[in-house]
């Protein structure tokens, strides 16, 4: 049993294929119900973060003392792809990205070992290095506020940190629950600078004694009265008052109560974060999902946990402030609706053409029998229901019925010859079997290379390409096993009838006769079409991906270094007030930190402006806010803006000066708004320069200066502070000056510093205290200093990168300065290369399929030349609808290549079969046109109908789907018309050329073969 007559086997043995597809359909339904829903495909590349904190440390010191040493240690690890570091005040974060395929657990252990080896080389004042694999996936999926009438702010904050966080972290896939606003409880030991100076004691000495005194410790074991007892040393104070009564030993040997030199309070830490909703301060928490988990599943399970908390704590009110999950759900439902609507429209088209409800039902069965089992295979491959996989199913909604249409149309044609339904099904299915196989394999050949692309880009498009392949292969199985089998038993034969005699067929045959009689003129039309295609595409704007029309937006606030929390809060309130006045804004939630902040906007779904138009038109008003940089978070920019590119070099000064030149030239481009360097604003500093002669005489070291000043102004690092034990947790005892004392330079100058003799001296005696400035942040890439230049696009502008690349300072980079691709830019550059390779591979695979089918080389070239006819209609449709060339357009063109190849295969395959039976060339071509025009037009109209919901995108955000649908519909309509006219003429020319060249080559080159000469027998000499 060969593939050609597998349909005959299914007709004679109907139980086996029925059982198989019932089982596959049930498996698909179960898998669909189990599959996770995500907005984007899971991109799993191994990456490990090394985070080291040193409170109060300047970025320049952290870079030299911490970051460079960490980078040097991890660079030598096998499999490292790239390093990127970000250094701000008191914090150094290095992300080590490994090549895809490196086990992330092994990578994490290797990084941890490398950092452990250099731990002794790092400064003493750092917190313990935190090494973790990057598990969080993007930003928070939801923000909630918490209110309670029977709790203080501190109690409510602990309720969120303890009860809410623990409950939500039990949800599978929840990576982090992060509190915003609120306070953390601390025992504050607020030192009095004057009393400290009079008693001659320093902040570091007070902190060290509290660590030694206020502690519960193990004391060993005793055996008294015949039993064993554990010995505990209980030194922990019962409350803040008893802590203040503890005695502190002075350097002179005397003692003093802690309360005599400091005010001891049970209160909370200095507030460094505020959350506000529509101008009102709230306590909030954010939920962040882990990599590989579903947005929707994590969110829905978290909602169930919150419902449980509401029942347990009826006086606590939880209010949702923002979520991105609604958009994900909306896109999921919209994609499913588009797929169903497309399928229904395709079935209606079949009925209009065949006007036989039985044949229509048989064709309609192909869609669910192909689409539903696909979910089972997707589940086996660990795919999720994301934009890419659902886009693939929406795209093939019309294609799934394609093979069934070709089969059923051929069966109906045979029935109208006077055959029974049973015999017509066997004969028609056997006749067209290889053509159906070839047409399906043409789509498989185009999309299989896309599904197996390497790298991160391959992970983005793996689910898309393989979902298309799986779906069309299932549609092939349905067309060969189910459609003929049901037709044999369900269709009703009505005797001999004319078929394919519609008026439009007669008109087409007249045009076909003309094209065969004027073959070179027809080829001229093809050449003009190719030229028009090039011109049409060259005049289209180009962008990487179309902007999404989201129901949310995000504003980023960046203040000048040195800004306080109150000043940042005031700017955030100004920005929120401007935003709340807009009719599109439903709610504005602000997450405010010292010197930076984010405003999350919930937009009205029924707004007139798209989210991108709203952002571009409102951006100038936000830029007018003084003393701050307030910008919208761009969908395409790597650091939140539309344009982002990076320069790297060894010489920081040279790099900075050249970057300023580029920014100056960019500011003259009308396509850009507000180009600037990120992190270019210097932060104010108080510089303390030791007087080494005096300091040496008094035994004062630079390390002692640093420790004393840090503890006095900021408090010691968490791992070195004393702890106060509560019944359920330990809280820190923070020793520091009052916040008001830090406002006076004289207070800092008079801070007591310990000497080697046991006494203390004022800071100003052993050091000069001056004002200065330093960088607010530093960035490094692959062990080089890097600078990031960003800008926004002007309203209405789609792309400006090509003009930036032509700027003199960008084209002529000095020696030692390089442009670096990073993050999304690097992924997209890799994607562009892989996509080109995939397209070329797909075209060659289609050619290989055709050569195997025809067992000839020249006719497949006619099919391949038909691919050049595919894009013209798509380009015209893009011009008419105002769309740009983007990634979804290129994907649509891929689908066009596969479909156009299918149409030309149906024509050429039939003509070749007729010619093999001895029918003259032109007669065979005309017969092919007569008998294949209707199935070609039927499948084209069905696919156009199936793509209409995708192109129109009535529900949901069609930013990605619509351009793809437009290019496919436009390309299908025009390429089908051109294929029906140009391919027959080209095939006629190709057959003539093949005969002439083939005969000449066979005479010149082929000397063997079945009919080759037999050598004369050799008779040895006698």
């Amino acid at each position: 049993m060969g593939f050609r007559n597998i349909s005959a086997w299914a007709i004679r043995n109907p139980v086996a294929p029925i059982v198989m597809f019932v089982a596959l359909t049930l498996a698909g339904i179960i898998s669909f119900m189990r599959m996770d829903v995500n907005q984007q495909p899971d991109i799993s590349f191994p990456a490990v973060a090394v985070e080291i904190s040193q409170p109060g440390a300047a970025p320049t010191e952290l870079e030299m003392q911490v970051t460079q040493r960490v980078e040097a240690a991890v660079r030598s690890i096998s499999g490292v792809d790239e390093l990127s570091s970000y250094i701000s005040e008191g914090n150094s974060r290095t992300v080590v990205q490994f090549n895809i395929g490196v086990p992330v657990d092994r990578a994490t252990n290797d990084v941890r070992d490398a950092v452990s080896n250099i731990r002794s080389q790092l400064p003493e004042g750092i917190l313990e290095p935190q090494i973790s694999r990057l598990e969080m996936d993007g930003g928070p999926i939801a923000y909630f506020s918490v209110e309670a009438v029977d709790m203080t702010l501190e109690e409510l904050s602990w309720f969120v940190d303890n009860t809410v966080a623990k409950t939500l972290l039990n949800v599978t896939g929840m990576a982090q629950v992060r509190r915003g606003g609120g306070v953390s409880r601390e025992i504050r030991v607020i030192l009095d600078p004057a009393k400290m100076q009079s008693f001659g004691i320093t902040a570091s000495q007070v902190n060290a004694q509290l660590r030694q005194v206020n502690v519960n410790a193990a004391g060993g074991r005793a055996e008294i009265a015949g039993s064993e007892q554990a010995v505990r040393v209980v030194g922990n104070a019962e409350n803040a008052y008893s802590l203040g009564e503890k005695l502190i030993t002075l350097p002179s040997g005397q003692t003093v109560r802690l309360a005599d030199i400091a005010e001891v309070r049970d209160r909370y830490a200095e507030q460094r974060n505020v959350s506000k909703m529509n101008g009102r301060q709230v306590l909030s928490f954010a939920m962040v999902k882990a990599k590989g988990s579903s947005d929707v599943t994590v969110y829905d399970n978290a909602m169930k946990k919150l419902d449980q908390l509401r029942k347990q704590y009826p006086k606590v009110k939880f209010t949702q402030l923002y979520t991105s999950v609604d958009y994900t759900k909306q896109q999921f439902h919209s994609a499913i609706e588009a797929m169903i609507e497309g399928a229904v429209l395709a079935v209606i088209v079949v009925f209009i053409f065949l006007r036989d409800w039985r044949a229509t039902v048989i064709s309609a069965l192909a869609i669910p029998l192909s689409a539903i089992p696909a979910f089972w295979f997707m589940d086996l491959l660990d795919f999720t229901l994301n934009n890419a996989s659902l886009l693939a199913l929406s795209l093939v909604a019309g294609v799934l019925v394609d093979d069934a249409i070709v089969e059923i149309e051929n069966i109906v044609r045979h029935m109208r010859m006077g055959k029974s339904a049973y015999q017509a099904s066997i004969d028609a299915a056997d006749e067209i079997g290889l053509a159906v196989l070839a047409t399906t394999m043409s789509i498989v050949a185009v999309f299989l290379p896309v599904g197996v692309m390497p790298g991160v880009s391959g992970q983005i498009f793996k689910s898309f390409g393989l979902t298309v392949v799986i779906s069309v292969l299932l549609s092939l199985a349905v067309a060969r096993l189910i459609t003929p089998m049901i037709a044999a038993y369900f269709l009703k034969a009505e005797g001999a009838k004319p078929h394919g005699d519609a008026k439009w067929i007669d008109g087409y045959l007249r045009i076909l006769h003309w094209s065969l009689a004027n073959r070179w003129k027809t080829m001229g039309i093809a050449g003009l079409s190719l030229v028009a295609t090039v011109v049409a595409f060259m005049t289209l704007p180009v962008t990487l991906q179309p902007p999404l029309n989201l129901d949310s937006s995000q504003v980023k606030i960046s203040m000048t270094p040195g800004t306080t929390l109150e000043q940042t809060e005031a700017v955030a309130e100004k920005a929120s007030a401007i935003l709340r006045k807009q009719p599109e804004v439903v709610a504005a939630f602000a997450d405010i930190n010292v010197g930076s902040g984010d405003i999350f906007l919930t937009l009205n779904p029924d707004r007139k402006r798209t989210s991108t138009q709203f952002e571009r038109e409102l951006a100038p008003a936000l830029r007018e806010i003084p003393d701050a940089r307030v910008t919208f978070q761009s969908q395409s920019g790597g650091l939140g803006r539309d344009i982002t590119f990076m320069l790297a070099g060894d010489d920081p000064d040279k790099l900075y000066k050249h970057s300023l030149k580029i920014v100056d030239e960019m500011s003259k481009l009308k396509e850009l708004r507000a180009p600037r360097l990120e992190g270019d604003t210097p932060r104010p500093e108080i510089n303390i320069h030791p007087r080494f002669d005096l300091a040496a005489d008094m035994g004062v070291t630079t390390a002692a200066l640093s420790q004393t000043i840090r503890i006095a102004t900021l408090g010691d690092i968490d791992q070195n502070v004393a702890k106060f034990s509560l019944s359920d947790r330990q809280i820190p005892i923070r020793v520091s000056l009052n916040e008001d004392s830090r406002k006076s330079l004289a207070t800092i100058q008079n801070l007591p510093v310990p000497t080697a003799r046991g006494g203390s001296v004022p800071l100003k005696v052993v050091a000069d205290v001056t004002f200065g400035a330093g960088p607010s942040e530093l960035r490094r890439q692959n062990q080089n200093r890097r600078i990031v230049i960003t800008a926004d696009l002007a309203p209405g502008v789609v792309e400006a990168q090509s003009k930036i690349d032509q700027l003199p300072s960008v084209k002529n980079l000095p020696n030692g300065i390089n442009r670096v691709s990073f993050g999304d830019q690097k992924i997209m550059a890799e994607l562009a290369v892989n996509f080109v390779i995939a397209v070329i591979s797909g075209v060659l695979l289609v050619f290989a399929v055709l050569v195997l089918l025809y067992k000839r080389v020249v006719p497949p070239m006619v099919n391949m030349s038909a691919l050049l006819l595919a894009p013209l209609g798509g380009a015209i449709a893009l011009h008419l609808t105002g769309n740009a060339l983007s990634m979804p357009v290129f994907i649509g063109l891929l689908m066009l290549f596969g479909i156009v190849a299918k149409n030309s295969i149906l024509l050429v395959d039939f003509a070749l079969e007729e010619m093999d039976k001895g029918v003259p060339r032109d007669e065979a071509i005309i017969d092919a046109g007569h008998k294949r025009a209707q199935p070609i037009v039927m499948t084209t109209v069905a696919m156009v109908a199936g793509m209409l919901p995708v192109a129109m995108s009535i529900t949901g955000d069609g930013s990605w789907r619509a351009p793809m649908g437009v290019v496919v519909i436009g390309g299908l309509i025009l390429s089908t018309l051109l294929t029906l006219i140009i391919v027959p003429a080209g095939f006629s020319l190709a057959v003539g050329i093949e005969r002439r060249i083939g005969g000449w080559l066979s005479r010149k080159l082929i000397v063997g073969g079945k009919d080759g000469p037999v050598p004369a027998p050799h008779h040895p000499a006698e």
Side-chain angles (χ1 to χ4, degrees):
M1 179 182 67
F3 185 84
R4 183 186 286 271
N5 54 14
I6 192 173
S7 298
W9 172 84
I11 292 169
R12 296 186 181 102
N13 304 275
V15 175
I18 289 174
V19 170
M20 181 178 73
F21 272 92
V22 168
L24 285 173
T25 303
L26 288 174
I29 293 170
I30 294 170
S31 295
F32 177 79
M33 296 170 66
R34 290 173 43 195
M35 290 175 74
D36 287 335
V37 178
N38 274 349
Q39 185 171 337
Q40 300 293 345
D42 291 325
I43 303 174
S44 57
F45 55 88
V48 180
V50 180
E51 191 155 356
I52 299 177
S53 296
Q54 186 178 9
T60 47
E61 277 72 41
L62 277 175
E63 180 187 31
M64 289 183 289
Q65 298 174 14
V66 175
T67 310
Q68 290 182 2
R69 292 175 180 175
V70 170
E71 290 176 343
V74 301
R75 181 77 245 190
S76 59
I77 297 174
S78 174
V80 171
D81 180 26
E82 67 176 22
L83 303 174
S84 61
S85 298
Y86 175 74
I87 309 145
S88 58
E89 180 184 345
N91 187 267
S92 167
R93 178 181 172 86
T94 300
V95 176
V96 188
Q97 187 171 322
F98 289 81
N99 295 319
I100 291 177
V102 175
V104 69
D105 292 329
R106 194 212 81 186
T108 306
N109 290 332
D110 288 347
V111 171
R112 185 174 287 111
D113 292 343
V115 174
S116 298
N117 291 337
I118 62 162
R119 179 64 181 85
S120 59
Q121 302 174 29
L122 300 178
E124 289 183 4
I126 65 169
L127 296 175
E128 197 61 31
Q130 301 296 311
I131 292 95
S132 59
R133 60 186 184 186
L134 292 180
E135 290 287 359
M136 290 184 291
D137 187 8
I141 60 173
Y143 279 90
F144 283 82
S145 67
V146 189
E147 298 173 84
V149 294
D150 59 342
M151 296 186 194
T152 64
L153 182 62
E154 185 276 324
E155 290 171 338
L156 189 59
S157 300
W158 175 243
F159 175 77
V160 171
D161 291 340
N162 184 53
T163 307
V164 175
K166 285 180 180 178
T167 302
L168 292 179
L169 286 173
N170 286 328
V171 174
T172 303
M174 186 74 74
Q176 185 183 37
V177 177
R178 187 172 67 228
R179 171 167 59 84
V183 292
S184 298
R185 185 177 175 185
E186 281 186 353
I187 301 295
R188 298 291 304 278
V189 178
I190 303 170
L191 299 170
D192 186 322
K195 291 181 179 179
M196 287 171 58
Q197 194 170 359
S198 64
F199 283 111
I201 192 168
T202 67
S204 58
Q205 290 169 338
V206 173
N207 185 68
Q209 290 192 46
L210 287 178
R211 287 184 62 197
Q212 297 294 323
V213 173
N214 195 78
V215 63
N216 294 343
R221 186 172 62 240
E223 294 182 8
I224 298 173
S227 64
E228 189 175 277
Q229 297 91 18
V231 180
R232 291 176 59 219
V233 178
V234 182
N236 190 74
E238 293 182 0
N239 49 44
Y241 175 79
S242 60
L243 179 66
E245 295 299 309
K246 288 187 181 290
L247 296 177
I248 301 296
T249 303
L250 300 174
S252 62
Q254 297 175 323
T255 59
V256 62
R257 289 186 314 129
L258 178 61
D260 291 337
I261 58 172
E263 184 181 357
V264 183
R265 292 183 180 178
D266 184 351
R267 50 183 303 186
Y268 44 80
E270 182 182 353
Q271 194 169 12
R272 307 282 289 176
N273 173 270
V274 172
S275 295
K276 302 188 83 173
M277 180 66 179
N278 293 331
R280 184 171 59 89
Q281 185 167 339
V282 295
L283 177 64
S284 68
F285 64 88
M287 298 188 299
V288 183
K289 79 178 186 71
K291 272 187 178 178
S293 57
S294 163
D295 309 34
V296 175
T297 304
V298 171
Y299 177 82
D300 288 345
N301 290 337
M303 292 305 98
K304 294 175 184 175
K305 293 289 186 181
L306 281 181
D307 288 339
Q308 294 175 9
L309 288 174
R310 287 187 178 101
K311 293 177 182 177
Q312 291 177 0
Y313 304 94
K315 294 183 179 180
V316 178
K317 181 182 177 183
F318 296 94
T319 306
Q320 182 172 289
L321 304 176
Y322 165 86
T323 181
S324 62
V325 176
D326 288 343
Y327 178 80
T328 305
K329 290 181 176 180
Q330 181 192 56
Q331 290 301 95
F332 168 71
H333 293 302
S334 177
I336 296 295
E337 288 170 8
M339 187 169 62
I340 294 171
E341 290 163 1
V344 171
L345 287 173
V347 171
I348 292 172
V349 167
V350 175
F351 180 76
I352 291 171
F353 272 92
L354 294 180
R355 298 186 181 181
D356 184 332
W357 71 270
R358 291 176 180 268
T360 303
V361 169
I362 296 171
S363 300
L365 280 173
I367 298 176
L369 291 180
S370 303
I372 295 175
F375 292 117
W376 181 58
F377 291 98
M378 292 164 63
D379 195 22
L380 291 178
L381 292 170
D382 283 334
F383 291 171
T384 60
L385 296 172
N386 54 65
N387 280 352
S389 57
L390 291 173
L391 194 63
L393 289 173
S394 299
L395 196 61
V396 298
V399 179
L400 296 183
V401 76
D402 196 5
D403 292 337
I405 288 175
V406 174
E407 291 270 4
I408 204 72
E409 196 277 340
N410 208 36
I411 291 170
V412 169
R413 184 173 63 84
H414 275 261
M415 286 170 56
R416 289 174 179 173
M417 294 178 185
K419 299 178 183 178
S420 67
Y422 188 90
Q423 191 59 44
S425 298
I426 292 175
D427 294 346
D430 289 350
E431 176 187 84
I432 208 168
L434 290 181
V436 171
L437 172 65
T439 56
T440 301
M441 287 302 154
S442 67
I443 291 185
V444 171
V446 168
F447 281 95
L448 185 60
V450 175
V452 296
M453 283 194 301
V456 176
S457 57
Q459 295 188 57
I460 296 173
F461 281 99
K462 179 182 179 182
S463 58
F464 176 83
L466 294 185
T467 298
V468 173
V469 169
I470 291 166
S471 301
V472 296
L473 285 176
L474 284 167
S475 75
L476 172 66
V478 171
R480 299 303 294 141
L481 294 173
I482 300 298
T483 303
M485 181 263 293
I486 297 178
Y489 296 98
F490 189 63
L491 286 182
K492 184 187 293 185
E494 296 179 355
K497 280 185 176 182
H499 183 77
D501 59 348
K503 290 182 179 180
W504 71 268
I505 293 280
D506 296 335
Y508 165 64
L509 290 176
R510 286 195 294 272
I511 297 172
L512 183 57
H513 277 96
W514 180 89
S515 69
L516 291 175
N518 300 273
R519 295 180 297 177
W520 289 108
K521 289 182 181 179
T522 307
M523 291 299 101
I525 295 173
L528 289 174
S529 300
L530 182 59
V531 172
T533 301
V534 174
V535 172
F537 275 100
M538 288 181 65
T539 53
L540 281 170
V542 180
T543 184
L544 183 63
Q545 59 180 3
L548 303 179
N549 184 20
L550 305 173
D551 287 338
S552 60
S553 184
Q554 183 179 349
V555 175
K556 298 192 77 67
I557 299 171
S558 178
M559 305 290 292
T560 56
T563 304
T564 64
L565 180 63
E566 291 75 16
Q567 292 168 333
T568 310
E569 188 178 348
V571 168
E573 184 53 38
K574 286 181 184 177
S576 296
I578 294 172
L579 294 165
R580 289 197 300 269
K581 291 178 183 177
Q582 306 305 312
E584 291 86 357
V585 176
V586 175
F589 165 67
D591 187 12
I592 307 164
N593 299 299
V594 178
S596 65
D598 293 280
I599 302 176
F600 297 91
L601 303 177
T602 302
L603 302 181
N604 188 342
D606 299 325
R607 62 189 180 274
K608 294 180 180 179
R609 291 185 287 185
T610 67
S611 59
T612 304
Q613 290 171 339
F614 165 77
E615 292 170 0
R616 296 270 174 87
E617 292 172 14
L618 204 60
L622 295 180
R623 281 199 294 268
E624 294 300 318
I625 297 176
D627 302 325
R629 289 173 174 172
V630 185
T631 57
F632 282 98
Q633 170 78 32
S634 171
Q635 297 174 16
S636 56
L639 290 175
R641 306 191 73 195
D642 296 328
I643 299 293
T644 306
F645 68 98
M646 181 196 300
L647 298 176
D650 290 327
D651 188 339
D653 293 333
K654 184 178 178 181
L655 182 64
Y656 180 73
K657 289 177 183 177
H658 192 76
S659 300
L660 288 178
K661 287 183 182 179
I662 295 176
V663 170
D664 183 57
E665 293 178 5
M666 287 175 62
S667 64
K668 298 172 184 176
L669 294 177
K670 65 180 186 300
E671 291 83 3
L672 300 180
R673 294 288 184 271
R676 64 170 181 257
L677 303 182
E678 289 298 315
D680 60 329
T681 310
R683 66 170 195 155
E685 296 177 343
I686 294 177
N687 295 326
I688 296 173
H689 301 278
R691 298 171 182 167
F692 291 106
D693 50 350
L694 287 173
D697 288 343
M698 297 183 180
V700 177
T701 63
T702 304
L705 282 174
S706 170
Q707 184 183 31
T708 301
I709 297 162
R710 186 186 72 244
I711 292 174
T713 58
L714 195 65
D716 206 349
I717 59 178
D718 286 348
Q719 65 197 35
N720 290 342
V721 297
K723 299 295 191 298
F724 187 85
S725 297
L726 302 175
S727 60
D728 55 349
R729 68 190 191 277
Q730 283 192 320
I731 60 174
I733 301 174
R734 189 78 59 189
V735 178
S736 66
L737 297 177
N738 193 322
E739 284 88 343
D740 292 335
S741 300
R742 295 183 306 200
K743 296 178 181 178
S744 169
L745 184 63
T747 302
I748 295 175
Q749 289 174 328
N750 288 306
L751 282 175
V753 178
T755 65
R757 301 181 183 88
S760 65
V761 294
L763 172 63
K764 65 183 179 183
V765 174
V766 292
D768 293 321
V769 183
T770 61
F771 288 104
S776 56
E777 61 182 44
L778 297 173
R779 290 182 169 89
R780 294 172 60 82
Q781 186 79 11
N782 292 331
Q783 298 182 278
N784 284 323
R785 180 75 70 84
R786 65 173 179 169
I787 284 184
V788 177
I789 302 172
T790 64
D792 291 324
L793 292 174
V797 177
V798 176
E799 186 269 340
Q801 191 63 57
S802 56
K803 291 198 174 183
I804 295 172
D805 293 339
Q806 297 303 314
L807 294 174
S809 296
V810 176
K811 290 175 67 177
N812 305 301
L813 292 175
N815 291 332
I817 296 178
N818 301 305
R819 187 169 173 181
V820 181
S821 293
F822 75 106
D824 290 347
Q825 289 182 346
K826 183 177 180 182
I827 293 172
M828 293 309 170
E830 174 194 285
L831 176 61
V833 173
N834 289 340
F835 208 76
V836 170
I837 294 172
V839 170
I840 295 172
S841 303
V843 170
L844 292 177
L845 281 173
V846 171
F847 183 72
V849 167
L850 296 177
V851 170
L852 291 172
L853 173 68
Y854 299 152
K855 299 184 177 66
R856 304 163 79 158
V857 175
V858 177
M861 290 183 178
V862 178
N863 297 106
M864 302 311 296
S865 64
L867 299 182
L868 300 175
L869 306 175
L872 177 58
I876 294 172
L878 291 174
H879 275 287
L880 292 175
T881 55
N883 282 298
L885 269 179
S886 58
M887 189 55 61
V889 169
F890 289 120
I891 296 170
L893 289 174
L894 274 182
M895 178 60 78
L896 270 180
F897 287 150
I899 294 169
V900 172
K902 290 183 74 166
N903 291 340
S904 63
I905 287 169
L906 288 174
L907 282 172
V908 173
D909 176 71
F910 191 91
L912 284 173
E913 286 196 4
E914 291 295 295
M915 289 169 61
D916 289 341
K917 296 175 184 177
V919 178
R921 179 190 63 191
D922 286 0
E923 188 179 331
I925 293 172
I926 291 170
D927 196 26
H930 184 210
K931 292 177 179 173
R932 289 287 180 259
Q934 180 159 314
I936 287 173
V937 172
M938 280 179 64
T939 55
T940 298
V941 177
M943 282 184 280
V944 168
M947 290 301 297
L948 272 176
V950 176
M952 296 174 69
S953 295
I954 297 171
T955 59
D957 176 22
S959 305
W960 252 78
R961 297 196 306 263
M964 188 180 303
V966 166
V967 76
V968 171
I969 289 174
L972 267 177
I973 293 170
L974 189 56
S975 65
T976 300
L977 295 175
L978 293 174
T979 299
L980 287 171
I981 297 168
I982 294 172
V983 166
F987 176 71
S988 175
L989 285 170
V991 170
I993 294 170
E994 183 185 47
R995 285 173 179 170
R996 284 192 288 272
I997 296 178
W1000 181 81
L1001 287 175
S1002 63
R1003 289 194 301 272
K1004 294 291 183 181
L1005 300 178
I1006 299 175
V1007 295
K1010 185 173 65 174
D1011 300 322
V1014 178
H1018 177 68
H1019 299 286
E1022 295 181 3

